[in-house]
Amino acid sequence: MAPAYKLTYFNVTSLGEPIRFLLNYGNLEFEDVRIDMEQWPTIKPTMPFGQMPILEHNGKVAHQSIPIARYVAKQVKLNGKNDWEDLEIDSAVETVNDLRAKLAVYHHEKDEAVKEAKAGPLFNEILPYYLEKLEAQVKLNNGYLACGRLTWADMYFVGILNYLNFMALKDIIADSPSLVSVKEHVLALPSIKAWIEKRPKTHI
Amino acid sequence: MAPAYKLTYFNVTSLGEPIRFLLNYGNLEFEDVRIDMEQWPTIKPTMPFGQMPILEHNGKVAHQSIPIARYVAKQVKLNGKNDWEDLEIDSAVETVNDLRAKLAVYHHEKDEAVKEAKAGPLFNEILPYYLEKLEAQVKLNNGYLACGRLTWADMYFVGILNYLNFMALKDIIADSPSLVSVKEHVLALPSIKAWIEKRPKTHI
């Protein structure tokens, strides 16, 4: 029988990897469809809003990476125990996503002079500000991003971290020991360790 | 006794209004704190990640507008009936938020030549693409954005619509009759009608 879940995304980690982490964490069998850039122009018009990842489950299709990750997190019990806990987790995820968006604006800038002008504020102000606050948040939360225990906020952060580092052209958490420990904790989970060993090796 | 909920934001609709809509929809009494731009430099450092809105409830503080809206939606029963419905709602909200982000990139562009260059793709391609797909989605969902009934996706969309129109400098849904009917439906809800009559009159 085909797996119950089918995730379609590019052959990179980026926005898809937090979802793949969560599916693996819960041992949910999934079809890991990876679209080549050459196939993309043909496939793009078939996507709900011209974007990936998409998740198919029970004959239905959903798009938007963070909502998909939240859905899978509920199936694998890495969500909150009550509505406020879910809010704490969601806020942490959105904050990491804000950081991603700020790195993306820099990464995708094509004008070299403009990119250079953006580098100063990004690397001297914005990144340190976020990382310092996230570091303090982990300290307050028993070594996790929210709720004092492992939640999908940690899976989201570690799942997308390679992509953040790729865009920043450096290890953004090198000087953030608590964030490093979140990373080490997630990567040491047997299900995630096994996934990283077997997943396709990609440039991002 | 002080209201159980306290929402702090600027004296505008923008990112705060979907939350205010939801609080009003559920007749949840809330303290509607509005920060003047002159006060902001003093208040900014006291905010969790230097941003608003924030919600205070039961002695705790949360930030990030969409997570806060999702939390309030659960209290007023405008969330999904199961995990997949929540995913459908979340995806619709994120799609509207993507549209907001694309308008914001244009709106905040300070270089007039760059802004002009961005106007073509935004108004001739991106906006029509999103609006056509959202229009089709509403038709498939019985006149709503998700789940075939009123959910917080509709409240989010209509709550933020003034802000989208402000950034676009036009009524973006003028040619989208199904989206107009979502707007009319939400604005005709007695609780929302009463809120709009009594809320502070602001420039956005």
Side-chain angles (χ1 to χ4, degrees):
Chain A
M1 220 175 78
Y5 296 86
K6 179 174 166 182
L7 183 74
T8 304
Y9 190 52
F10 297 107
N11 187 27
V12 293
T13 59
S14 300
L15 304 184
E17 202 63 11
I19 303 167
R20 297 191 191 114
F21 271 29
L22 287 160
L23 288 161
N24 275 284
Y25 175 85
N27 295 309
L28 298 177
E29 215 188 323
F30 69 104
E31 197 179 341
D32 184 25
V33 180
R34 289 166 182 253
I35 304 297
D36 290 335
M37 285 313 294
E38 299 86 68
Q39 298 170 271
W40 179 233
T42 314
I43 286 172
K44 186 176 168 66
T46 69
M47 292 291 148
F49 275 82
Q51 294 179 326
M52 299 193 293
I54 59 160
L55 179 77
E56 294 171 69
H57 189 211
N58 295 326
K60 292 179 181 172
V61 183
H63 68 113
Q64 287 285 357
S65 63
I66 292 178
I68 291 171
R70 182 180 297 109
Y71 174 77
V72 176
K74 289 175 188 170
Q75 316 315 307
V76 306
K77 311 285 183 224
L78 281 180
N79 58 327
K81 286 180 183 152
N82 54 52
D83 294 344
W84 190 269
E85 280 202 356
D86 277 330
L87 172 50
E88 286 184 23
I89 297 167
D90 286 354
S91 301
V93 168
E94 289 302 331
T95 299
V96 173
N97 189 45
D98 280 354
L99 192 54
R100 179 193 66 76
K102 287 170 198 296
L103 279 165
V105 167
Y106 167 78
H107 172 70
H108 292 296
E109 178 58 57
K110 288 188 178 73
D111 184 317
E112 279 304 321
V114 176
K115 191 165 184 167
E116 184 65 28
K118 282 177 177 169
L122 177 65
F123 291 111
N124 300 325
E125 293 161 36
I126 298 170
L127 263 180
Y129 179 85
Y130 272 84
L131 291 168
E132 190 186 310
K133 290 204 169 273
L134 287 170
E135 179 77 4
Q137 188 167 318
V138 170
K139 278 186 187 141
L140 275 176
N141 277 281
N142 193 29
Y144 301 95
L145 274 164
C147 305
R149 65 173 191 282
L150 183 74
T151 70
W152 73 275
D154 305 300
M155 304 297 272
Y156 178 78
F157 174 63
V158 181
I160 209 160
L161 186 56
N162 271 350
Y163 181 46
L164 303 184
N165 288 339
F166 169 80
M167 291 193 288
L169 298 172
K170 67 174 185 177
D171 177 4
I172 62 168
I173 62 167
D175 300 323
S176 309
S178 298
L179 292 172
V180 169
S181 82
V182 171
K183 176 185 166 181
E184 287 172 352
H185 181 92
V186 168
L187 295 184
L189 293 166
S191 56
I192 301 304
K193 218 176 149 167
W195 166 246
I196 288 175
E197 278 165 21
K198 78 175 180 190
R199 72 181 177 187
K201 304 297 169 263
T202 58
H203 73 292
I204 307 174
Chain B
M1 221 175 74
Y5 296 86
K6 180 175 167 181
L7 183 74
T8 304
Y9 190 52
F10 297 107
N11 186 28
V12 293
T13 59
S14 301
L15 305 184
E17 203 63 11
I19 303 167
R20 297 190 190 115
F21 271 29
L22 287 160
L23 288 161
N24 275 284
Y25 176 84
N27 295 310
L28 299 177
E29 215 188 322
F30 70 106
E31 197 179 339
D32 184 24
V33 180
R34 291 167 182 252
I35 304 297
D36 289 335
M37 284 313 294
E38 299 88 67
Q39 298 171 272
W40 180 233
T42 314
I43 286 171
K44 186 176 168 63
T46 70
M47 291 292 148
F49 275 82
Q51 293 179 329
M52 299 193 294
I54 59 161
L55 179 76
E56 293 171 70
H57 188 209
N58 295 326
K60 292 179 181 173
V61 183
H63 68 114
Q64 287 285 357
S65 63
I66 292 177
I68 292 171
R70 182 180 297 108
Y71 174 77
V72 176
K74 289 175 187 169
Q75 316 315 307
V76 305
K77 312 285 182 222
L78 281 180
N79 57 325
K81 286 179 184 152
N82 54 52
D83 293 345
W84 190 269
E85 281 201 356
D86 277 329
L87 172 50
E88 287 184 23
I89 297 167
D90 286 354
S91 301
V93 168
E94 289 301 332
T95 299
V96 173
N97 189 45
D98 280 353
L99 191 55
R100 179 194 67 76
K102 287 170 198 297
L103 280 166
V105 167
Y106 169 77
H107 172 69
H108 292 296
E109 179 58 58
K110 287 187 179 74
D111 184 318
E112 278 304 320
V114 176
K115 191 165 184 167
E116 184 65 29
K118 282 177 177 169
L122 177 65
F123 292 110
N124 300 326
E125 293 161 37
I126 299 171
L127 263 180
Y129 179 84
Y130 272 83
L131 291 168
E132 190 186 309
K133 290 203 170 272
L134 287 170
E135 179 77 4
Q137 187 166 319
V138 169
K139 277 185 189 143
L140 276 176
N141 276 280
N142 192 30
Y144 301 95
L145 275 164
C147 305
R149 65 173 191 282
L150 182 74
T151 69
W152 73 276
D154 306 299
M155 303 297 272
Y156 179 78
F157 174 63
V158 181
I160 209 159
L161 186 57
N162 270 350
Y163 181 45
L164 304 183
N165 288 339
F166 168 80
M167 290 194 287
L169 298 173
K170 67 174 185 177
D171 177 4
I172 62 169
I173 63 168
D175 300 323
S176 309
S178 297
L179 292 172
V180 168
S181 81
V182 171
K183 175 184 165 180
E184 286 172 353
H185 181 92
V186 168
L187 295 184
L189 294 167
S191 56
I192 302 304
K193 218 175 149 166
W195 166 246
I196 288 174
E197 277 164 23
K198 80 177 180 190
R199 73 182 176 186
K201 304 298 169 261
T202 59
H203 73 293
I204 308 173

